[in-house]
Structures are given as C-alpha cells and as structure tokens.
Amino acid sequence: MNPDASQYAVSIQYDRRLYREDIAGSVAHARMLAKQEIITEEEAAAICDGLLAIRAEIEAGEFPWRPELEDIHMNIETRLRERIGPTAGKLHTARSRNDQVATDLRLYAMRSRQRVDEAIAGLQKALLARAGEHSGVIMPGYTHLQRAQPVLFAHHLMAYFEMLHRDRARFAHCRDAADLLPLGSGALAGAPYPLDRRFVASELGFSRLSANSMDAVSDRDFLAEYHSAAAICMMHLSRLAEELVLWSSQEFGFISLAPRHTTGSSIMPQKRNPDFAELGRGKTGRVYGHLMAILTTLKGLPLTYNRDLQEDKEGFFDTEETLLSTLEIFSDMIGAMTVNASRMEDAAQRGNMLATDLADYLVGRGMPFREAHGVVRRASEHARSLGKEVHQLTLEEYRRFSDLFDSDALEISLKGSVEGRDVPGGAAPRRVQEAIAAAKARLEESFDT
Ligand code: ARG
C-alpha cells in the first residue's frame, strides 16, 4: 500500500481509548487458555505481567503508539512481543480481532453507562435542590408558549427530573444490552479449542454468553441503543436549554444565569448571552448525527464482520463526551442560576390564568363545563376591553355573564388555583412536596436488573 492508502485504515488515534478494556479482555483470555491447558501457566503469567506493564506504560504516557500498526489491538500485541518475546504470539490463540473488538466495545459501553448514570443523577440532584429551595414560588405554566395556568416553579423543575429518570432507565437498558460476552466467537464461527467461555465472562463481569458466533462478531445493536438513549437525553437537555434561554431573556426575566455561564457581546456592551445553554442545545444536533451514522453504517451489512464496523467508534466516543460534559455544565448552571421569584409571580398575575378556575367555579354550581367555558371566555373578553384581568372583575360585572356567580367567586386566587390541583402528579404544593420527597428516594433507586 502507498502511505496514503494505509493512513485511510488507521484507527489508533481514537481506538486507543479502548486500551483498558482491551487489556482486561486479553488478561481474562490468557488466564482461561492456561486453565484449559491450551497454553502453560508460565506462558499465561508472562503474558499477563506483560499486559499489565503495558497498561502502566500507557497510563504514564510512555507507550510508543505506532499508527502503522493500525489499531489498539495490534499496537498492544506488538508491544507485548517486544517485552516478552515470541510467547506473546500465543495470546491470540482461539481469538480474532473480530470477537476481541466486540468485547472491548461492550465493556466500554457498560462502564460508560456508569459514568452517564452518575452525571444524570447529578443534574437531577441540582434540580431537586432548587425545587426544594423555591417550593412556594408560583409561575405561569404554559401551553403553546402562552400563559395557561399557574403552577409552582418547583413543579416545572421536577418535570425535568422525570425526563431524566426515564433517561437513567434507558441507559440501564443499554447496559443490559451490552452485557454479553462475544469472546470465543473467533473470527465468525467459534474456535476449535476447549474454551471456558463462562470463566472469561465472569472474569470480565459479563452475565451472559453470546448464543451465535456469527451474530456476536457483527452485532452493534447495543451501540445503536446507546446512541438512541443519548439522543433522547440530549433532547431533554436541549428543551431545558431552551427554557433557560427564554427565562433569562429580558422578556421573561425569570432567572439570571451565573456570569460564568454567560458571555458578553464584542459589540454590544450591555449584553450577557446564555452561550452555555445555547451550546448544549446546539450539541444535540451532533449527537443525533451520530445516531443516524451508526444506523446507516449497520444498514445493509452482510454477516459477519465487515470493516465498516470500525466506523462505530468515533461517534460513540464523541457522543459520550458530549453528553457527559453537557450534563455537568447543566448541573452547574441550574445550581448557580438566580431565581427571580417576584418576576415569576408578577407574570402569573397577568394572562387571565385564573379563567379555568372561574369556569370550574361555575361547574361547582351546576353549569356544564362547556357552557362555563363560554361564559368565562366572554367575561375575559369584557375584562380585556376594560384593561383588566378576568379575576379582577367585580361581582356585578361577573353577574352580567351568569347569575351563578356569587361573592366567593372574588376569592379565586393564584394560590387557591394551585392548591386546588390536588391530584396525584398535580401542581398542588402538597403534591409537589410529596414528589420532591419521593424523588430523593428515587435517586437512590437501582435500575439494574
Ligand atoms: N480495528 C478493527 C475494528 O475496529 C478491529 C477488527 C479488525 N478485524 C479485521 N478482520 N480486520 O473493527
């Protein structure tokens, strides 16, 4: 191959990230080969010692990476030969890079899930802390981004806790999908040696063995699932980002982001831009892109291993990094933002948000809901023509629209409105308190099956 062509096949610049998993897989494999008397105990010991020394070398930044050896597997094996001589060549008995790389990726995905789970829980804790701190603050709840009904700010934050809870469950499922040992599948058909695959699985922490060697070397479903879970989680973060952008605008003024989460404009001195929220929203696009890329890479591949599969790694690592850093930044952003409670409550006073409560009042006095809806709509239009909110009309004015109105209609308030929504999952302060208390326990829940 001319030098340019060989460059094309090189993956070491990114698959070196798998060194820990690759060495763990090789150590387990070598031990098993000795246990099954395929190699001697002395050979296995030399191989394992050599591999652990190589790991230390990599971690000390002293490993001589060689792109001409293409990938992590060949780099480590060649180095092993330099250290222990021809015995190194026995490590690859009953193994192929095809089952080796599939094993590495599955181990990496399981460990990555642990990191992601902790980062998601970190953001949940930040949301929970702010919800607890501002548990009495009322804000406008929106539909169609129009003021709809009053809710507690805490209830709004806790909606994101729920999304993230589902994300954790999805990543637990990803871990489960990755939890299967491909090693022992050889290049595609298995290996003509008396392997103890169970032993290798338990050494590496896998609870299942692959049931079909051809599937095992070419299956990357667990990566597609990981990408999908990451894309959904980023979608949630992007929604949160959008709210932070809106809330921190002058138009809303509900929050102020900490100075470290905003930047100034190079031309407009008065501005503080919510760049970090925007970047989180923007990075969602590349995570979606990686999901599309892995699905497209897998599409149409004949069994079994094809080199196309080498393209499964960069997007995977980039998605992990993007998701983890976004979760960390967002936890910090939520923890450090200033909540402008009075701005939220002022906004809640406007927008006729007690209209539904007035309709419910009439329903309580026997009027069918549809009819009550019409009455309050007309009363609201009248209030608007007077420059008032519907809950600011006088009893006389109300009575022009229905004689079911009585003086207690004047007592309808924002606080009464939220308190009235006392159903499980509803916006009532009592229910929100319960949700916050339950969330603390749910944070500790294990999703593992
Ligand atoms: N670097 C390769 C990959 O990531 C390793 C497997 C190579 N196998 C092969 N038959 N060329 O897919």
Side-chain angles (χ1 to χ4, degrees):
M1 272 197 283
N2 71 47
D4 282 342
S6 62
Q7 279 268 329
Y8 192 70
V10 174
S11 57
I12 191 62
Q13 65 278 21
Y14 50 85
D15 69 11
R16 65 168 73 175
R17 199 186 281 241
L18 294 171
Y19 79 90
R20 221 180 286 113
E21 290 73 20
D22 197 68
I23 288 174
S26 289
V27 167
H29 183 66
R31 286 198 184 129
M32 184 276 292
L33 291 177
K35 187 175 113 24
Q36 299 303 97
E37 299 177 350
I38 300 165
I39 63 176
T40 67
E41 288 291 347
E42 294 69 38
E43 287 165 341
I47 289 171
C48 292
D49 290 350
L51 287 168
L52 297 180
I54 288 171
R55 192 174 69 187
E57 205 171 36
I58 294 174
E59 285 171 354
E62 286 159 5
F63 186 88
W65 297 106
R66 275 168 284 202
E68 64 278 14
L69 296 174
E70 281 193 9
D71 62 20
I72 181 69
H73 323 296
M74 296 316 295
N75 266 267
I76 291 179
E77 195 183 320
T78 305
R79 186 73 183 139
L80 186 63
R81 193 167 312 114
E82 285 169 3
R83 297 189 72 108
I84 70 167
T87 305
K90 297 206 170 186
L91 170 61
H92 216 52
T93 313
R95 189 175 75 169
S96 147
R97 274 191 291 162
N98 300 350
D99 56 350
Q100 186 179 359
V101 71
T103 302
D104 293 2
L105 280 168
R106 284 174 176 276
L107 280 175
Y108 189 95
M110 290 198 289
R111 288 177 180 163
S112 170
R113 177 270 174 165
Q114 195 56 41
R115 295 188 279 271
V116 169
D117 189 62
E118 282 163 23
I120 298 177
L123 178 54
Q124 285 182 301
K125 277 182 203 142
L127 289 164
L128 204 51
R130 300 317 299 265
E133 204 178 307
H134 297 281
S135 61
V137 175
I138 294 178
M139 72 181 293
Y142 295 83
T143 62
H144 312 270
L145 203 54
Q146 307 286 323
R147 287 181 194 166
Q149 290 176 350
V151 293
L152 293 182
F153 176 57
H155 197 48
H156 196 131
L157 290 183
M158 291 301 290
Y160 285 94
F161 182 96
E162 292 301 322
M163 295 180 215
L164 295 167
H165 192 77
R166 293 194 294 276
D167 289 324
R168 291 181 71 197
R170 254 184 292 273
F171 273 101
H173 175 79
C174 292
R175 190 209 171 276
D176 200 48
D179 178 11
L180 172 140
L181 176 78
L183 214 56
S185 301
L188 75 161
Y193 296 89
L195 305 183
D196 185 348
R197 298 189 65 209
R198 279 251 151 260
F199 174 84
V200 178
S202 86
E203 288 281 287
L204 293 174
F206 286 109
S207 57
R208 296 193 304 268
L209 303 182
S210 54
N212 180 300
S213 59
M214 297 179 76
D215 178 43
V217 294
S218 69
D219 173 24
R220 297 291 184 274
D221 292 3
F222 64 100
L223 285 185
E225 290 181 43
Y226 181 102
H227 279 279
S228 161
I232 294 172
C233 186
M234 284 299 289
M235 175 269 285
H236 292 152
L237 299 179
S238 177
R239 294 181 65 183
L240 179 57
E242 175 65 11
E243 308 237 44
L244 297 176
V245 170
L246 287 171
W247 290 351
S248 63
S249 68
Q250 281 187 39
E251 282 69 12
F252 281 77
F254 290 178
I255 60 162
S256 316
L257 293 169
R260 67 175 175 279
H261 298 128
T262 60
T263 58
S265 156
S266 57
I267 177 165
M268 296 163 282
Q270 83 285 9
K271 288 192 72 190
R272 294 308 301 177
N273 301 323
D275 293 36
F276 287 81
E278 292 171 310
L279 279 166
R281 191 174 58 186
K283 284 172 190 284
T284 305
R286 67 199 258 183
V287 172
Y288 287 7
H290 294 320
L291 168 61
M292 205 56 220
I294 186 72
L295 290 172
T296 310
T297 298
L298 297 175
K299 172 186 174 298
L301 288 187
L303 283 171
T304 55
Y305 179 85
N306 299 272
R307 191 65 179 270
D308 313 45
L309 290 173
Q310 184 166 296
E311 288 296 311
D312 61 4
K313 292 174 197 64
E314 273 177 295
F316 175 37
F317 298 145
D318 186 63
T319 281
E320 182 196 31
E321 237 172 66
T322 306
L323 180 60
L324 287 175
S325 56
T326 307
L327 284 163
E328 269 163 38
I329 294 282
F330 277 47
S331 303
D332 192 39
M333 209 152 47
I334 292 293
M337 71 187 181
T338 306
V339 176
N340 305 327
S342 62
R343 279 288 297 228
M344 290 186 193
E345 296 190 339
D346 282 355
Q349 292 293 345
R350 279 168 286 116
N352 288 319
M353 287 201 304
L354 295 177
T356 319
D357 297 86
L358 281 163
D360 288 326
Y361 171 88
L362 293 173
V363 168
R365 309 196 130 221
M367 189 183 283
F369 182 79
R370 292 287 182 207
E371 201 180 312
H373 183 279
V375 168
V376 177
R377 186 173 42 75
R378 287 189 293 278
S380 302
E381 280 160 12
H382 179 65
R384 192 172 311 129
S385 73
L386 301 175
K388 289 193 199 178
E389 295 286 313
V390 68
H391 67 275
Q392 293 170 332
L393 291 177
T394 63
L395 184 54
E396 252 165 44
E397 286 166 331
Y398 280 140
R399 280 179 171 280
R400 262 195 247 161
F401 299 94
S402 164
D403 52 16
L404 289 179
F405 280 114
D406 230 324
S407 57
D408 52 350
L410 303 175
E411 285 158 24
I412 290 173
S413 67
L414 289 175
K415 193 158 173 290
S417 169
V418 289
E419 276 166 2
R421 295 198 153 66
D422 191 9
V423 295
R430 186 173 83 86
R431 300 293 184 171
V432 175
Q433 282 304 338
E434 272 173 23
I436 291 175
K440 286 184 183 142
R442 289 164 74 203
L443 261 180
E444 305 307 323
E445 231 170 78
S446 164
F447 292 88
D448 292 328
T449 43

